[in-house]
Structures are given as C-alpha cells and as structure tokens.
Amino acid sequence: MRSTKNLHSVNVKRRELMVAGLAGASAFLVGNTGSAYAQLIEKKGKLEIKVLKPVDSMIPGFSKVRLREFTWEPGASSKAKMQNAMVCQCTRGTLEVSQDDKTFTAKTGDIWTCKVGLIEASANKGKTPATMRVIDLLTA
C-alpha cells in the first residue's frame, strides 16, 4: 500500500490541472535539479525544488509536461531567464514576483504565466515558507 503522504505530493487534482492549463503557457526557473528549464541568474537563501517525472502531453506544440514544486524559506529569493513555457501557482504563503517591468504579490491560490525569454525574480518576504507549483510545457 502506498503512503498517503507520497500520494499527496505526487497527485494533482484534475481541477487544478484544468485551471492551470487554461491559464496559459508560462516559464520558470530551475535550481539545482540538473535539467535546464531556465537559466538561473541568481539565488539567495534556501530554495527546495522537487521534480516529478515528465509525462506525454496531448497539448499541441508540447510533447511533454512536467510538474515541479519550489519552496522558498523566509528571506530566500531567486532570479532566472525562462527557457520554456510554464504555468505557476502559489500553493502556500506569499511570493513577491517580478516579471520584466511588472511586480505583484502572489498569494495562496494565485495562478500566473511566464513566456520563453522572460526574466522573473521571486522572493519570500514573509515569515513562513512559500511554495509554488510549476507545470512545465516542454517542446522536446
């Protein structure tokens, strides 16, 4: 029998995937995962990255999709140049997100997108960990 804890971290509710898919294509950073989804420009503080196995996609133009989860400890920040399309969702805490000339505070439940080539900076200015779920849309 599988652990409920492991199932919770791997499974994504269909509604969340549907909403994320409808939100559009976006891109985000990669930390120390060994795979290049974005060119990491800067990282400060503790950033934990969980990467799950990519799966085949039915979305035209994208051969695979991949789910990742990033957790910034309080005070941690990162900056990256996007290399692929992605959809992002803040699932815990708040993050200050800057994309080119636009800055916003992503709260739990907020969804946003990034495009290839975009430079995005994310910072946890709160007192609790902040988590973002990312759906990578991969072309090859």
Side-chain angles (χ1 to χ4, degrees), residues 5-113:
K5 183 177 180 182
N6 286 341
L7 286 176
H8 180 24
S9 67
V10 174
N11 289 337
V12 175
K13 295 179 185 172
R14 287 190 324 181
R15 182 187 308 176
E16 288 178 294
L17 279 177
M18 178 72 136
V19 169
L22 293 174
S26 163
F28 196 70
L29 65 100
V30 100
N32 48 11
T33 64
S35 300
Y37 292 100
Q39 179 184 7
L40 189 61
I41 297 169
E42 178 181 310
K43 177 176 117 17
K44 294 180 182 173
K46 184 176 179 192
L47 172 60
E48 179 185 348
I49 304 169
K50 294 179 185 175
V51 180
L52 303 177
K53 180 180 171 184
V55 297
D56 291 336
S57 169
M58 294 174 54
I59 302 169
F62 300 100
S63 61
K64 296 206 178 278
V65 296
R66 176 182 231 162
L67 180 64
R68 293 183 292 153
E69 190 172 86
F70 296 78
T71 301
W72 287 259
E73 291 299 320
S77 64
S78 59
K79 185 175 185 180
K81 182 175 181 181
M82 306 308 151
Q83 301 294 308
N84 66 278
M86 298 171 123
V87 178
C88 305
Q89 178 184 26
C90 183
T91 59
R92 175 174 64 156
T94 59
L95 284 169
E96 182 177 284
V97 179
S98 296
Q99 299 177 322
D100 293 336
D101 60 352
K102 176 177 114 180
T103 299
F104 60 94
T105 300
K107 299 174 185 165
T108 301
D110 288 349
I111 296 174
W112 67 99
T113 63

